[in-house]
Amino acid sequence: MTTTLAPTTNQPQHLTHVDHDRMAAFSARAGAALRSSKFKEFRRKKAERTVRSHDADLRIFSQALADAGIIDEAHVQAHADALAAGPAAWTGVNHDIVAAFKMWMLAKGYALASVDHALATVRTYARLAYESTDQKAYKADVAAGRRPVGLLLD
């Protein structure tokens, strides 16, 4: 679909024709690129010590998933790395899993401050995952009565 704009004295001739289909396709690609870089950009802005702390928390979260039989024990570190890298590894993580992670940490004897810190990290990355993915899928989860990862902030 192309729209012809009436040229004004300030508008160059090459800007008078807009292909809306191409514009929409470009917008979708640009949005996907921006969403896919959220994790990298977030971590780039953090101090090295903070990133190491996040990595440790995500490894603990991955270990809890391994102990629950969700991921293979041999893949704990790879899974933690994937959690830190982008939204794909967060697929299926919901409020109940995070609540179970909290109970797992307490049962393992983690200090309350450590539990709170790890939960804050998980919620932060969950929010990044939510912001990095198709919002329609999350709205469908909510409509189906599931509390998806992006809604862990409540």
Side-chain angles (χ1 to χ4, degrees):
M1 168 191 222
T2 302
T3 301
T4 302
L5 302 174
T8 64
T9 56
N10 298 335
Q11 190 175 34
Q13 183 63 33
H14 67 280
L15 294 180
T16 61
H17 297 286
V18 177
D19 185 332
H20 294 288
D21 293 334
R22 282 182 155 173
M23 184 74 76
F26 175 75
S27 176
R29 288 191 310 273
L34 288 171
R35 286 189 303 274
S36 71
S37 67
K38 265 193 184 297
F39 279 71
K40 186 176 183 180
E41 185 65 17
F42 172 79
R43 289 170 65 87
R44 186 189 64 77
K45 291 179 181 178
K46 298 296 177 192
E48 185 178 329
R49 184 176 178 185
T50 301
V51 171
R52 282 196 313 265
S53 176
H54 288 180
D55 289 346
D57 290 338
L58 294 174
R59 189 177 193 306
I60 293 167
F61 182 60
S62 294
Q63 185 60 57
L65 296 176
D67 285 1
I70 296 171
I71 62 170
D72 191 293
E73 184 74 35
H75 299 117
V76 168
Q77 187 59 53
H79 189 263
D81 293 343
L83 289 170
W90 290 94
T91 302
V93 176
N94 60 29
H95 184 270
D96 295 334
I97 290 173
V98 176
F101 171 53
K102 177 181 179 179
M103 292 187 305
W104 177 88
M105 287 187 75
L106 292 170
K108 291 285 187 180
Y110 283 88
L112 209 47
S114 297
V115 172
D116 289 343
H117 189 276
L119 289 173
T121 299
V122 167
R123 287 183 175 119
T124 296
Y125 281 80
R127 179 181 44 80
L128 287 173
Y130 174 72
E131 293 170 356
S132 300
T133 55
D134 180 9
Q135 303 297 308
K136 292 176 189 172
Y138 285 95
K139 289 178 183 176
D141 280 346
V142 171
R146 295 183 293 272
R147 295 179 71 189
V149 68
L151 302 179
L152 293 174
L153 304 175
D154 57 9

Short mmCIF file of all heavy atoms in Angstrom, two decimals, residues 30-53:
data_model
loop_
_atom_site.label_atom_id
_atom_site.label_comp_id
_atom_site.label_asym_id
_atom_site.label_seq_id
_atom_site.Cartn_x
_atom_site.Cartn_y
_atom_site.Cartn_z
N ALA A 30 13.00 -3.81 13.15
CA ALA A 30 13.70 -2.90 14.08
C ALA A 30 13.30 -3.22 15.52
O ALA A 30 14.15 -3.27 16.41
CB ALA A 30 13.38 -1.46 13.74
N GLY A 31 12.01 -3.46 15.74
CA GLY A 31 11.54 -3.80 17.09
C GLY A 31 12.15 -5.09 17.58
O GLY A 31 12.56 -5.21 18.74
N ALA A 32 12.23 -6.09 16.70
CA ALA A 32 12.83 -7.38 17.08
C ALA A 32 14.30 -7.20 17.43
O ALA A 32 14.79 -7.78 18.40
CB ALA A 32 12.66 -8.39 15.96
N ALA A 33 15.00 -6.40 16.66
CA ALA A 33 16.42 -6.15 16.94
C ALA A 33 16.60 -5.45 18.27
O ALA A 33 17.48 -5.80 19.07
CB ALA A 33 17.04 -5.33 15.82
N LEU A 34 15.77 -4.47 18.54
CA LEU A 34 15.86 -3.76 19.82
C LEU A 34 15.54 -4.69 20.99
O LEU A 34 16.22 -4.66 22.02
CB LEU A 34 14.91 -2.56 19.83
CG LEU A 34 15.33 -1.39 18.97
CD1 LEU A 34 14.21 -0.36 18.89
CD2 LEU A 34 16.60 -0.76 19.51
N ARG A 35 14.50 -5.50 20.84
CA ARG A 35 14.13 -6.42 21.92
C ARG A 35 15.22 -7.46 22.16
O ARG A 35 15.51 -7.80 23.30
CB ARG A 35 12.80 -7.10 21.61
CG ARG A 35 11.60 -6.17 21.77
CD ARG A 35 10.28 -6.92 21.67
NE ARG A 35 10.13 -7.65 20.42
CZ ARG A 35 9.66 -7.14 19.30
NH1 ARG A 35 9.30 -5.88 19.25
NH2 ARG A 35 9.54 -7.88 18.22
N SER A 36 15.84 -7.93 21.09
CA SER A 36 16.86 -8.97 21.25
C SER A 36 18.13 -8.43 21.90
O SER A 36 18.91 -9.20 22.44
CB SER A 36 17.19 -9.62 19.91
OG SER A 36 17.89 -8.73 19.08
N SER A 37 18.32 -7.13 21.86
CA SER A 37 19.53 -6.56 22.46
C SER A 37 19.33 -6.09 23.89
O SER A 37 20.27 -5.62 24.53
CB SER A 37 20.04 -5.40 21.60
OG SER A 37 19.13 -4.32 21.65
N LYS A 38 18.12 -6.22 24.43
CA LYS A 38 17.83 -5.74 25.78
C LYS A 38 18.74 -6.34 26.84
O LYS A 38 19.25 -5.63 27.70
CB LYS A 38 16.37 -6.03 26.15
CG LYS A 38 15.46 -4.88 25.89
CD LYS A 38 14.13 -5.13 26.58
CE LYS A 38 13.16 -4.04 26.26
NZ LYS A 38 13.55 -2.73 26.72
N PHE A 39 18.94 -7.65 26.79
CA PHE A 39 19.77 -8.31 27.80
C PHE A 39 21.22 -7.82 27.71
O PHE A 39 21.83 -7.49 28.72
CB PHE A 39 19.72 -9.83 27.62
CG PHE A 39 18.51 -10.47 28.22
CD1 PHE A 39 17.26 -10.30 27.66
CD2 PHE A 39 18.62 -11.26 29.35
CE1 PHE A 39 16.14 -10.89 28.21
CE2 PHE A 39 17.50 -11.87 29.91
CZ PHE A 39 16.26 -11.68 29.33
N LYS A 40 21.74 -7.78 26.50
CA LYS A 40 23.12 -7.37 26.30
C LYS A 40 23.32 -5.92 26.76
O LYS A 40 24.30 -5.61 27.44
CB LYS A 40 23.50 -7.52 24.82
CG LYS A 40 24.94 -7.26 24.52
CD LYS A 40 25.24 -7.52 23.06
CE LYS A 40 26.70 -7.34 22.76
NZ LYS A 40 27.01 -7.60 21.36
N GLU A 41 22.40 -5.07 26.40
CA GLU A 41 22.51 -3.66 26.77
C GLU A 41 22.38 -3.49 28.29
O GLU A 41 23.11 -2.72 28.90
CB GLU A 41 21.42 -2.85 26.05
CG GLU A 41 21.51 -1.37 26.26
CD GLU A 41 22.77 -0.74 25.69
OE1 GLU A 41 23.46 -1.36 24.86
OE2 GLU A 41 23.09 0.39 26.11
N PHE A 42 21.46 -4.21 28.89
CA PHE A 42 21.28 -4.15 30.35
C PHE A 42 22.57 -4.54 31.06
O PHE A 42 23.03 -3.85 31.97
CB PHE A 42 20.13 -5.08 30.76
CG PHE A 42 19.98 -5.23 32.25
CD1 PHE A 42 19.36 -4.25 33.01
CD2 PHE A 42 20.48 -6.36 32.90
CE1 PHE A 42 19.23 -4.39 34.39
CE2 PHE A 42 20.34 -6.51 34.26
CZ PHE A 42 19.72 -5.52 35.01
N ARG A 43 23.16 -5.65 30.64
CA ARG A 43 24.37 -6.14 31.30
C ARG A 43 25.57 -5.24 31.01
O ARG A 43 26.44 -5.06 31.86
CB ARG A 43 24.64 -7.58 30.87
CG ARG A 43 23.62 -8.55 31.49
CD ARG A 43 23.71 -9.93 30.91
NE ARG A 43 24.96 -10.60 31.20
CZ ARG A 43 25.22 -11.32 32.29
NH1 ARG A 43 24.30 -11.44 33.23
NH2 ARG A 43 26.37 -11.92 32.44
N ARG A 44 25.61 -4.63 29.83
CA ARG A 44 26.71 -3.74 29.47
C ARG A 44 26.77 -2.54 30.41
O ARG A 44 27.85 -2.04 30.73
CB ARG A 44 26.57 -3.27 28.02
CG ARG A 44 27.75 -2.45 27.51
CD ARG A 44 27.47 -1.84 26.16
NE ARG A 44 26.38 -0.88 26.15
CZ ARG A 44 26.47 0.38 26.60
NH1 ARG A 44 27.59 0.82 27.12
NH2 ARG A 44 25.44 1.19 26.53
N LYS A 45 25.62 -2.09 30.86
CA LYS A 45 25.55 -0.90 31.71
C LYS A 45 25.87 -1.20 33.18
O LYS A 45 26.00 -0.27 33.97
CB LYS A 45 24.16 -0.28 31.63
CG LYS A 45 23.85 0.33 30.29
CD LYS A 45 22.45 0.89 30.27
CE LYS A 45 22.10 1.48 28.93
NZ LYS A 45 20.72 1.99 28.91
N LYS A 46 25.98 -2.45 33.55
CA LYS A 46 26.22 -2.83 34.94
C LYS A 46 27.71 -2.97 35.22
O LYS A 46 28.50 -3.30 34.34
CB LYS A 46 25.52 -4.17 35.27
CG LYS A 46 24.02 -4.13 35.13
CD LYS A 46 23.41 -3.17 36.11
CE LYS A 46 21.91 -3.06 35.95
NZ LYS A 46 21.37 -1.94 36.69
N ALA A 47 28.06 -2.75 36.47
CA ALA A 47 29.44 -2.96 36.90
C ALA A 47 29.78 -4.44 36.80
O ALA A 47 28.90 -5.30 36.92
CB ALA A 47 29.62 -2.47 38.34
N GLU A 48 31.05 -4.74 36.61
CA GLU A 48 31.49 -6.13 36.46
C GLU A 48 31.08 -6.97 37.68
O GLU A 48 30.65 -8.11 37.54
CB GLU A 48 33.00 -6.17 36.28
CG GLU A 48 33.54 -7.57 36.01
CD GLU A 48 35.04 -7.57 35.78
OE1 GLU A 48 35.58 -6.57 35.27
OE2 GLU A 48 35.67 -8.58 36.13
N ARG A 49 31.20 -6.40 38.85
CA ARG A 49 30.84 -7.13 40.08
C ARG A 49 29.33 -7.44 40.11
O ARG A 49 28.93 -8.52 40.54
CB ARG A 49 31.23 -6.28 41.29
CG ARG A 49 30.98 -6.94 42.59
CD ARG A 49 31.48 -6.08 43.72
NE ARG A 49 31.18 -6.72 44.99
CZ ARG A 49 31.40 -6.17 46.15
NH1 ARG A 49 31.94 -4.98 46.23
NH2 ARG A 49 31.09 -6.81 47.25
N THR A 50 28.52 -6.52 39.63
CA THR A 50 27.08 -6.74 39.58
C THR A 50 26.74 -7.86 38.60
O THR A 50 25.92 -8.72 38.90
CB THR A 50 26.35 -5.44 39.18
OG1 THR A 50 26.66 -4.43 40.13
CG2 THR A 50 24.85 -5.64 39.10
N VAL A 51 27.39 -7.85 37.46
CA VAL A 51 27.16 -8.90 36.46
C VAL A 51 27.55 -10.26 37.03
O VAL A 51 26.82 -11.25 36.87
CB VAL A 51 27.91 -8.60 35.14
CG1 VAL A 51 27.86 -9.79 34.19
CG2 VAL A 51 27.34 -7.36 34.48
N ARG A 52 28.68 -10.33 37.72
CA ARG A 52 29.09 -11.61 38.35
C ARG A 52 28.07 -12.05 39.40
O ARG A 52 27.75 -13.24 39.50
CB ARG A 52 30.47 -11.46 39.00
CG ARG A 52 31.61 -11.52 38.01
CD ARG A 52 32.97 -11.76 38.68
NE ARG A 52 33.21 -10.91 39.84
CZ ARG A 52 33.87 -9.76 39.82
NH1 ARG A 52 34.35 -9.29 38.69
NH2 ARG A 52 34.04 -9.07 40.93
N SER A 53 27.53 -11.11 40.15
CA SER A 53 26.51 -11.42 41.15
C SER A 53 25.25 -11.95 40.47
O SER A 53 24.66 -12.95 40.92
CB SER A 53 26.20 -10.17 41.97
OG SER A 53 25.15 -10.41 42.87
#
